[in-house]
Amino acid sequence: MKTYTVPILSIRKLTHDVLEIRTEKPDGYAFLPGQATELAINRKDWKGKKRPFTFTSIPTDGYLEFIIKMYPSHQGVTRELATLAVGDTLIIEEPWGAISYQGSGLFIAGGAGITPFISIFRQLTLDNKLVGNKLIFANKTHLDIILENELNALLEKNIVHVLSNDFREGYVQGFVTKTLIRENMVHASDNIYLCGPPIMMDAVMLILQQLDIDQTSITVEI
């Protein structure tokens, strides 16, 4: 597998536990919106600890962008990423990924599961093809929502924020339910895109089965 060493151009916090990292883009490096790569920190003792992260930039950007949730208590890669600075380097591989845009429909994301959809939404906006898509975005609290302002601006009325641990006007309190999914599907044949924590994905997949959604219309991270 070919690898690339890429310097960090910028690094900033988007939320209390989410980083946005932009790196140089290798010449000829190409990916599709929704794809990911294996990434490692170019430091001693960390080069062999690869983890998958999704591109949140779009293919025509002159840089690569990753939005990464940190888990400081794990003492792992994401905790070490938080110690990096501009000029430090990362090691990436060729792109891969199961999530790609198959046509308009309903996107369902939980937490950092929004990341493959960010690149897709940005590309659809650039192509003037975002109309007809909706997003249900589930988080614990409003402080956990990644790129809330950008997503609200892109999707306008076609976004529903669900908060499990927060009561706030304008947000749905609770979890992603059968009723919520049914209310936000335009047609039973709509494409469904799903990415989030395993527990949430299992629960939503069960709901989709109960709604008799054609499995071939479901695109899910695997």
Side-chain angles (χ1 to χ4, degrees):
M1 175 71 70
K2 187 173 182 180
T3 62
Y4 306 82
T5 301
V6 291
I8 293 175
L9 300 174
S10 67
I11 184 167
R12 66 181 179 123
K13 270 192 171 184
L14 296 182
T15 75
H16 62 100
D17 63 354
V18 173
L19 283 179
E20 175 201 85
I21 299 177
R22 290 183 178 180
T23 74
E24 289 187 6
K25 183 178 181 181
D27 290 340
Y29 194 87
F31 65 92
L32 297 174
Q35 286 192 312
T37 186
E38 295 290 331
L39 181 152
I41 299 167
N42 192 23
R43 285 181 175 173
K44 184 181 178 181
D45 300 327
W46 291 96
K47 292 182 180 181
K49 298 178 180 179
K50 300 183 293 183
R51 298 292 184 272
F53 294 110
T54 307
F55 303 104
T56 50
S57 48
I58 60 175
T60 53
D61 285 334
Y63 53 84
L64 300 177
E65 181 186 277
F66 303 91
I67 292 177
I68 298 170
K69 184 170 182 178
M70 300 176 290
Y71 298 91
S73 63
H74 293 186
Q75 299 184 354
V77 171
T78 61
R79 178 175 177 174
E80 189 71 9
L81 284 170
T83 71
L84 300 180
V86 172
D88 288 333
T89 55
L90 303 174
I91 301 168
I92 63 171
E93 297 183 351
E94 297 290 351
W96 56 268
I99 290 185
S100 63
Y101 188 65
Q102 305 296 321
S104 61
L106 176 62
F107 291 76
I108 305 171
I114 190 66
T115 53
F117 302 156
I118 291 171
S119 182
I120 290 172
F121 291 152
R122 287 172 169 174
Q123 186 65 55
L124 290 175
T125 300
L126 183 65
D127 297 338
N128 198 28
K129 293 181 179 179
L130 188 56
V131 174
N133 292 287
K134 291 188 174 184
L135 170 65
I136 297 174
F137 191 11
N139 287 277
K140 291 181 179 178
T141 76
H142 76 286
L143 296 176
D144 298 308
I145 301 174
I146 298 170
L147 295 181
E148 180 177 9
N149 290 338
E150 179 179 349
L151 291 171
N152 288 347
L154 292 178
L155 291 154
E156 298 180 339
K157 296 180 180 180
N158 293 314
I159 182 170
V160 178
H161 291 286
V162 182
L163 305 177
S164 61
N165 297 348
D166 200 356
F167 293 87
R168 187 166 291 270
E169 186 176 352
Y171 300 76
V172 175
Q173 201 282 322
F175 298 93
V176 178
T177 63
K178 182 189 296 186
T179 299
L180 193 62
I181 293 174
R182 187 164 46 212
E183 287 175 349
N184 285 280
M185 290 184 65
V186 179
H187 306 290
S189 59
D190 280 354
N191 289 292
I192 302 288
Y193 302 87
L194 174 62
C195 190
I199 292 177
M200 173 196 162
M201 291 177 66
D202 289 345
V204 172
M205 286 297 291
L206 180 60
I207 290 172
L208 296 178
Q209 291 175 13
Q210 294 170 352
L211 290 171
D212 293 324
I213 303 301
D214 186 345
Q215 295 295 302
T216 63
S217 69
I218 302 172
T219 299
V220 61
E221 183 77 313
I222 57 174

